[in-house]
Amino acid sequence: MASVALAVTDGMLAYELSVAVEVFGSDVTHLVDPWYDFRLCGSDPVRVGRFLLEPDHGLDHLASADTVIVPGWADTDREPPAALVEAVRAAHRAGARVASLCTGAFVLGAAGLLDGRRATTHWAHTRELARRHPAATVDPDVLYVDNGDVLTSAGKAAAMDLCLHLVRLDHGSAVANTIARRLVIPPHRDGGQAQFIATPVPAAGNHPLGELFPWVLERLDQPLTVEDLARRAGMSSRHLGRHFKHLTGTTPLRWLHAQRIRHAQELLETTNATVDTVAAATGMGTATTLRRHFHRSVGVSPDTYRRTFRA
């Protein structure tokens, strides 16, 4: 059973902390068993806004966890506690995967974990993070960054995206999407560069593409073009591109390609369909084409992905 340790001290942000508890600390063994061994680690009872938390273990237990989550740090003008910084550094040195949510990136920066790596944080604090840690490459435009053993997220909703990304890495696309549905949130959003991810399908609402997205998702087996999507939406291709960029952060073709890959992931996880059948069902045409695009997007072959994440 993989262990997840949530590092807590006074001054953490309640929302980011509760996101991690909800994703990793809930009992979802009816979906996947074993789930995570979840630990709340801190030196003493912790004041988080109006809440008082009683840690299960001391900060030294971070070093024995497989994954360490560092929630948002409320006062970025103040240096994080030395005990927290050293415990996070020791956990990474011991082999833990370390992820920060929102301004928790300042803790990782103080521990030296961002040096030579891409990182992000809440857009309002990216300039300060870059100033304080010039050896890091701070990207203000992404939802999260995955460096393998060090991950960082932007603020609030992006913290949930990163947590679901970790679930996707550990348990596959189908489980992560089921967790998202349980939390009544849209499917997982693309972090900007990480693997085993799905590009966003914006929630139905009052926007010009509200009817287009489900129409496309029902026709992923068909050879759709930008012109087809524009015609269905009743607008020019240029106008469609502007709406897509605003709603999804990417272009229509890249979004469509990501949805085909996402659908392929789910079929590989949940069915016994051959790679040829999956290729046809996702509009990739042939198994050779699917394998090429799947490996380029996900980093492994369809067969390897199926063996890793087969339900």
Side-chain angles (χ1 to χ4, degrees):
M1 178 185 298
S3 58
V4 173
L6 184 59
V8 294
T9 63
D10 288 333
M12 294 292 185
L13 296 173
Y15 177 84
E16 285 77 4
L17 190 148
S18 63
V19 161
V21 172
E22 184 64 34
V23 172
F24 302 108
S26 296
D27 181 8
V28 294
T29 50
H30 61 289
L31 296 176
V32 57
D33 192 12
W35 190 234
Y36 297 100
D37 171 23
F38 183 71
R39 313 168 186 174
L40 196 63
C41 299
S43 302
D44 301 292
V46 177
R47 175 65 64 179
V48 181
R50 296 189 176 187
F51 303 101
L52 186 65
L53 298 181
E54 292 279 355
D56 307 311
H57 305 281
L59 285 172
D60 58 314
H61 276 68
L62 296 182
S64 63
D66 297 306
T67 299
V68 171
I69 307 292
V70 182
W73 181 246
D75 188 358
T76 57
D77 293 329
R78 184 165 57 93
E79 287 296 325
L84 172 64
V85 172
E86 180 51 40
V88 169
R89 184 185 294 121
H92 182 260
R93 195 162 48 232
R97 177 177 63 180
V98 179
S100 66
L101 308 181
C102 192
T103 49
F106 284 85
V107 177
L108 272 58
L113 302 188
L114 302 185
D115 293 352
R117 293 183 171 96
R118 285 182 66 231
T120 193
T121 188
H122 190 289
W123 62 267
H125 301 284
T126 51
R127 183 174 298 179
E128 176 61 19
L129 183 67
R131 186 195 68 78
R132 199 175 298 181
H133 303 289
T137 302
V138 179
D139 190 338
D141 298 322
V142 295
L143 296 176
Y144 57 83
V145 175
D146 181 352
N147 294 292
D149 58 338
V150 175
L151 304 91
T152 53
S153 86
K156 301 302 178 187
M160 178 66 80
D161 292 320
L162 179 53
C163 288
L164 289 175
H165 171 63
L166 292 172
V167 172
R168 190 176 301 268
L169 287 172
D170 296 338
H171 295 288
S173 179
V175 170
N177 288 345
T178 300
I179 297 295
R181 286 193 294 271
R182 184 180 67 86
L183 296 172
V184 197
I185 59 177
H188 190 50
R189 297 185 295 170
D190 186 341
Q193 70 117 47
Q195 296 180 353
F196 301 124
I197 52 181
T199 299
V201 180
N206 186 23
H207 59 76
L209 305 185
E211 296 181 2
L212 178 64
F213 291 119
W215 183 86
V216 172
L217 294 179
E218 291 174 358
R219 293 165 174 79
L220 291 176
D221 60 327
Q222 301 178 19
L224 298 172
T225 65
V226 173
E227 289 71 24
D228 293 330
L229 271 60
R231 187 162 46 249
R232 176 67 185 182
M235 58 183 67
S236 68
S237 298
R238 184 186 296 271
H239 198 196
L240 177 76
R242 285 197 295 267
H243 280 296
F244 253 90
K245 186 68 174 178
H246 174 71
L247 289 168
T248 71
T250 189
T251 66
L253 280 182
R254 288 178 180 173
W255 179 87
L256 178 60
H257 178 75
Q259 297 312 309
R260 296 191 194 280
I261 295 296
R262 177 195 60 80
H263 189 38
Q265 287 176 302
E266 293 184 349
L267 291 175
L268 290 167
E269 293 175 35
T270 60
T271 75
N272 293 318
T274 66
V275 175
D276 285 289
T277 301
V278 172
T282 57
M284 293 289 185
T286 68
T288 300
T289 301
L290 173 62
R291 287 191 173 96
R292 182 174 70 252
H293 288 294
F294 196 92
H295 193 282
R296 184 180 300 164
S297 298
V298 180
V300 296
S301 69
D303 302 289
T304 299
Y305 186 89
R306 168 170 272 165
R307 287 194 299 270
T308 302
F309 292 122
R310 188 72 169 91

